[in-house]
Amino acid sequence: MPEQDDADLLAAQCANTMWAEDRASQAMGMQIVSVSEGCAVVSMTVRETMVNGNGMCHGGMIFSLADSAFAFACNSQNFVAVASGASIDFLAPASAGDVLTASASIVSQGKKTGLYDVAVRNQSNRLVAQFRGRSARIRGAVLPE
């Protein structure tokens, strides 16, 4: 299966290039766990500064984690892609100290648009949120020529 290995290597190179400039994900303490063609897994520990007035992880933080995993997945084929829309369902609370993992996978990828699902789970494998992202490929490649 050399083609799959080449595709996964390309995906990892794209993620590394994007990560180098991704100040937002870095600032939130996210870590790339794995990347392959059309898929990405990103984790983040919920910090005290990420908790809302109800003592739970702010939904925007969970959305950001899912959005970052989505970004690495939809750019994994070396075509620059941006979000054209996204939705999220919050299914369970997360608390400070929880380790959240967002697993993004391709549902459909056409020449211009894509659809990706992202499951966000805590360290006990409890589903915290389900995200669906729609991507649009724009001009250019992720990797420098």
PDB file of all heavy atoms in Angstrom, residues 1 6 18 21 29 38 40 56-57 65 72 77 80-81 84-85 92 94 108 110 129 142:
ATOM      1  N   MET A   1       0.796  -1.202   0.000  1.00  0.00           N
ATOM      2  CA  MET A   1       0.000   0.000   0.000  1.00  0.00           C
ATOM      3  C   MET A   1       0.839   1.267   0.000  1.00  0.00           C
ATOM      4  O   MET A   1       0.622   2.151   0.805  1.00  0.00           O
ATOM      5  CB  MET A   1      -0.857   0.015   1.241  1.00  0.00           C
ATOM      6  CG  MET A   1      -1.935  -0.959   1.298  1.00  0.00           C
ATOM      7  SD  MET A   1      -3.026  -0.209   2.457  1.00  0.00           S
ATOM      8  CE  MET A   1      -3.701  -1.366   3.383  1.00  0.00           C
ATOM      9  N   ASP A   6       2.119   7.206   1.113  1.00  0.00           N
ATOM     10  CA  ASP A   6       2.472   8.498   0.533  1.00  0.00           C
ATOM     11  C   ASP A   6       1.416   9.555   0.889  1.00  0.00           C
ATOM     12  O   ASP A   6       1.755  10.694   1.213  1.00  0.00           O
ATOM     13  CB  ASP A   6       2.604   8.400  -0.990  1.00  0.00           C
ATOM     14  CG  ASP A   6       3.828   7.608  -1.423  1.00  0.00           C
ATOM     15  OD1 ASP A   6       4.720   7.353  -0.578  1.00  0.00           O
ATOM     16  OD2 ASP A   6       3.891   7.237  -2.614  1.00  0.00           O
ATOM     17  N   MET A  18       1.086  23.709   8.609  1.00  0.00           N
ATOM     18  CA  MET A  18       0.007  24.527   9.178  1.00  0.00           C
ATOM     19  C   MET A  18       0.262  24.800  10.659  1.00  0.00           C
ATOM     20  O   MET A  18       0.069  25.919  11.132  1.00  0.00           O
ATOM     21  CB  MET A  18      -1.338  23.824   9.007  1.00  0.00           C
ATOM     22  CG  MET A  18      -1.821  23.764   7.580  1.00  0.00           C
ATOM     23  SD  MET A  18      -3.331  22.799   7.401  1.00  0.00           S
ATOM     24  CE  MET A  18      -4.451  23.726   8.448  1.00  0.00           C
ATOM     25  N   GLU A  21       2.352  27.773  11.968  1.00  0.00           N
ATOM     26  CA  GLU A  21       1.766  29.112  11.951  1.00  0.00           C
ATOM     27  C   GLU A  21       0.465  29.203  12.743  1.00  0.00           C
ATOM     28  O   GLU A  21      -0.154  30.265  12.789  1.00  0.00           O
ATOM     29  CB  GLU A  21       1.507  29.536  10.498  1.00  0.00           C
ATOM     30  CG  GLU A  21       2.763  29.562   9.638  1.00  0.00           C
ATOM     31  CD  GLU A  21       3.814  30.535  10.149  1.00  0.00           C
ATOM     32  OE1 GLU A  21       3.450  31.619  10.657  1.00  0.00           O
ATOM     33  OE2 GLU A  21       5.005  30.194  10.059  1.00  0.00           O
ATOM     34  N   GLY A  29      -3.047  25.231  23.904  1.00  0.00           N
ATOM     35  CA  GLY A  29      -2.416  24.015  24.412  1.00  0.00           C
ATOM     36  C   GLY A  29      -2.793  22.758  23.653  1.00  0.00           C
ATOM     37  O   GLY A  29      -2.628  21.648  24.167  1.00  0.00           O
ATOM     38  N   GLY A  38      -7.404  12.847   5.061  1.00  0.00           N
ATOM     39  CA  GLY A  38      -8.798  13.067   5.382  1.00  0.00           C
ATOM     40  C   GLY A  38      -9.159  12.928   6.852  1.00  0.00           C
ATOM     41  O   GLY A  38     -10.325  13.053   7.210  1.00  0.00           O
ATOM     42  N   ALA A  40      -7.822  13.607  11.183  1.00  0.00           N
ATOM     43  CA  ALA A  40      -6.895  14.219  12.129  1.00  0.00           C
ATOM     44  C   ALA A  40      -7.435  14.018  13.537  1.00  0.00           C
ATOM     45  O   ALA A  40      -8.647  14.038  13.759  1.00  0.00           O
ATOM     46  CB  ALA A  40      -6.715  15.702  11.844  1.00  0.00           C
ATOM     47  N   MET A  56     -18.071  24.971  33.840  1.00  0.00           N
ATOM     48  CA  MET A  56     -17.846  23.972  32.789  1.00  0.00           C
ATOM     49  C   MET A  56     -16.973  24.576  31.694  1.00  0.00           C
ATOM     50  O   MET A  56     -16.894  25.795  31.554  1.00  0.00           O
ATOM     51  CB  MET A  56     -19.184  23.549  32.177  1.00  0.00           C
ATOM     52  CG  MET A  56     -20.114  22.862  33.143  1.00  0.00           C
ATOM     53  SD  MET A  56     -21.693  22.435  32.391  1.00  0.00           S
ATOM     54  CE  MET A  56     -22.498  24.039  32.336  1.00  0.00           C
ATOM     55  N   CYS A  57     -16.355  23.710  30.911  1.00  0.00           N
ATOM     56  CA  CYS A  57     -15.557  24.187  29.782  1.00  0.00           C
ATOM     57  C   CYS A  57     -16.454  25.010  28.857  1.00  0.00           C
ATOM     58  O   CYS A  57     -17.554  24.588  28.494  1.00  0.00           O
ATOM     59  CB  CYS A  57     -14.955  22.999  29.033  1.00  0.00           C
ATOM     60  SG  CYS A  57     -13.899  23.497  27.660  1.00  0.00           S
ATOM     61  N   LEU A  65     -11.399  23.397  19.462  1.00  0.00           N
ATOM     62  CA  LEU A  65     -10.677  22.129  19.348  1.00  0.00           C
ATOM     63  C   LEU A  65     -11.186  21.332  18.148  1.00  0.00           C
ATOM     64  O   LEU A  65     -10.392  20.850  17.329  1.00  0.00           O
ATOM     65  CB  LEU A  65     -10.835  21.321  20.641  1.00  0.00           C
ATOM     66  CG  LEU A  65     -10.247  19.909  20.617  1.00  0.00           C
ATOM     67  CD1 LEU A  65      -8.735  19.944  20.459  1.00  0.00           C
ATOM     68  CD2 LEU A  65     -10.644  19.149  21.881  1.00  0.00           C
ATOM     69  N   PHE A  72      -7.055  20.455  10.053  1.00  0.00           N
ATOM     70  CA  PHE A  72      -5.958  19.561   9.672  1.00  0.00           C
ATOM     71  C   PHE A  72      -6.456  18.455   8.745  1.00  0.00           C
ATOM     72  O   PHE A  72      -5.755  18.057   7.815  1.00  0.00           O
ATOM     73  CB  PHE A  72      -5.262  18.984  10.906  1.00  0.00           C
ATOM     74  CG  PHE A  72      -4.509  20.028  11.693  1.00  0.00           C
ATOM     75  CD1 PHE A  72      -4.844  20.304  13.010  1.00  0.00           C
ATOM     76  CD2 PHE A  72      -3.470  20.748  11.124  1.00  0.00           C
ATOM     77  CE1 PHE A  72      -4.162  21.264  13.740  1.00  0.00           C
ATOM     78  CE2 PHE A  72      -2.781  21.716  11.835  1.00  0.00           C
ATOM     79  CZ  PHE A  72      -3.130  21.971  13.147  1.00  0.00           C
ATOM     80  N   GLN A  77      -4.770  16.954   1.996  1.00  0.00           N
ATOM     81  CA  GLN A  77      -4.435  16.541   0.631  1.00  0.00           C
ATOM     82  C   GLN A  77      -3.655  17.624  -0.122  1.00  0.00           C
ATOM     83  O   GLN A  77      -3.523  17.570  -1.334  1.00  0.00           O
ATOM     84  CB  GLN A  77      -5.705  16.158  -0.130  1.00  0.00           C
ATOM     85  CG  GLN A  77      -6.379  14.933   0.477  1.00  0.00           C
ATOM     86  CD  GLN A  77      -7.703  14.622  -0.179  1.00  0.00           C
ATOM     87  OE1 GLN A  77      -8.454  15.523  -0.569  1.00  0.00           O
ATOM     88  NE2 GLN A  77      -8.000  13.346  -0.315  1.00  0.00           N
ATOM     89  N   VAL A  80      -5.372  24.063  -0.157  1.00  0.00           N
ATOM     90  CA  VAL A  80      -5.778  24.979   0.895  1.00  0.00           C
ATOM     91  C   VAL A  80      -7.299  24.983   0.979  1.00  0.00           C
ATOM     92  O   VAL A  80      -7.991  25.222  -0.011  1.00  0.00           O
ATOM     93  CB  VAL A  80      -5.244  26.407   0.648  1.00  0.00           C
ATOM     94  CG1 VAL A  80      -5.799  27.376   1.684  1.00  0.00           C
ATOM     95  CG2 VAL A  80      -3.722  26.417   0.672  1.00  0.00           C
ATOM     96  N   ALA A  81      -7.799  24.685   2.174  1.00  0.00           N
ATOM     97  CA  ALA A  81      -9.238  24.642   2.407  1.00  0.00           C
ATOM     98  C   ALA A  81      -9.568  25.472   3.637  1.00  0.00           C
ATOM     99  O   ALA A  81      -8.799  25.517   4.597  1.00  0.00           O
ATOM    100  CB  ALA A  81      -9.706  23.201   2.597  1.00  0.00           C
ATOM    101  N   SER A  84     -16.425  26.708   5.339  1.00  0.00           N
ATOM    102  CA  SER A  84     -17.522  27.485   4.753  1.00  0.00           C
ATOM    103  C   SER A  84     -18.726  27.455   5.681  1.00  0.00           C
ATOM    104  O   SER A  84     -19.665  28.228   5.505  1.00  0.00           O
ATOM    105  CB  SER A  84     -17.891  26.948   3.370  1.00  0.00           C
ATOM    106  OG  SER A  84     -18.363  25.622   3.455  1.00  0.00           O
ATOM    107  N   GLY A  85     -18.675  26.603   6.680  1.00  0.00           N
ATOM    108  CA  GLY A  85     -19.729  26.529   7.676  1.00  0.00           C
ATOM    109  C   GLY A  85     -19.452  25.383   8.625  1.00  0.00           C
ATOM    110  O   GLY A  85     -18.683  24.472   8.317  1.00  0.00           O
ATOM    111  N   ALA A  92     -22.343  16.619  26.422  1.00  0.00           N
ATOM    112  CA  ALA A  92     -21.995  16.395  27.827  1.00  0.00           C
ATOM    113  C   ALA A  92     -21.018  17.485  28.246  1.00  0.00           C
ATOM    114  O   ALA A  92     -20.259  17.990  27.416  1.00  0.00           O
ATOM    115  CB  ALA A  92     -21.367  15.017  28.021  1.00  0.00           C
ATOM    116  N   ALA A  94     -17.737  19.302  30.010  1.00  0.00           N
ATOM    117  CA  ALA A  94     -16.327  19.021  30.283  1.00  0.00           C
ATOM    118  C   ALA A  94     -15.890  19.985  31.373  1.00  0.00           C
ATOM    119  O   ALA A  94     -16.434  21.089  31.496  1.00  0.00           O
ATOM    120  CB  ALA A  94     -15.485  19.212  29.026  1.00  0.00           C
ATOM    121  N   SER A 108     -17.150  13.361   2.860  1.00  0.00           N
ATOM    122  CA  SER A 108     -17.163  13.516   1.409  1.00  0.00           C
ATOM    123  C   SER A 108     -16.214  14.647   1.036  1.00  0.00           C
ATOM    124  O   SER A 108     -16.183  15.669   1.715  1.00  0.00           O
ATOM    125  CB  SER A 108     -18.580  13.851   0.938  1.00  0.00           C
ATOM    126  OG  SER A 108     -18.593  14.116  -0.446  1.00  0.00           O
ATOM    127  N   GLY A 110     -15.194  16.673  -2.551  1.00  0.00           N
ATOM    128  CA  GLY A 110     -15.251  16.886  -3.985  1.00  0.00           C
ATOM    129  C   GLY A 110     -14.090  17.760  -4.425  1.00  0.00           C
ATOM    130  O   GLY A 110     -13.148  17.995  -3.667  1.00  0.00           O
ATOM    131  N   ALA A 129     -19.066  16.325  22.430  1.00  0.00           N
ATOM    132  CA  ALA A 129     -19.660  17.139  21.363  1.00  0.00           C
ATOM    133  C   ALA A 129     -19.498  16.442  20.019  1.00  0.00           C
ATOM    134  O   ALA A 129     -18.557  15.667  19.818  1.00  0.00           O
ATOM    135  CB  ALA A 129     -19.010  18.518  21.317  1.00  0.00           C
ATOM    136  N   VAL A 142      -1.003  23.844   0.452  1.00  0.00           N
ATOM    137  CA  VAL A 142      -0.579  24.031   1.831  1.00  0.00           C
ATOM    138  C   VAL A 142       0.940  24.077   1.912  1.00  0.00           C
ATOM    139  O   VAL A 142       1.513  24.932   2.578  1.00  0.00           O
ATOM    140  CB  VAL A 142      -1.136  22.895   2.736  1.00  0.00           C
ATOM    141  CG1 VAL A 142      -0.601  23.013   4.147  1.00  0.00           C
ATOM    142  CG2 VAL A 142      -2.651  22.900   2.723  1.00  0.00           C
TER     143      VAL A 142
END
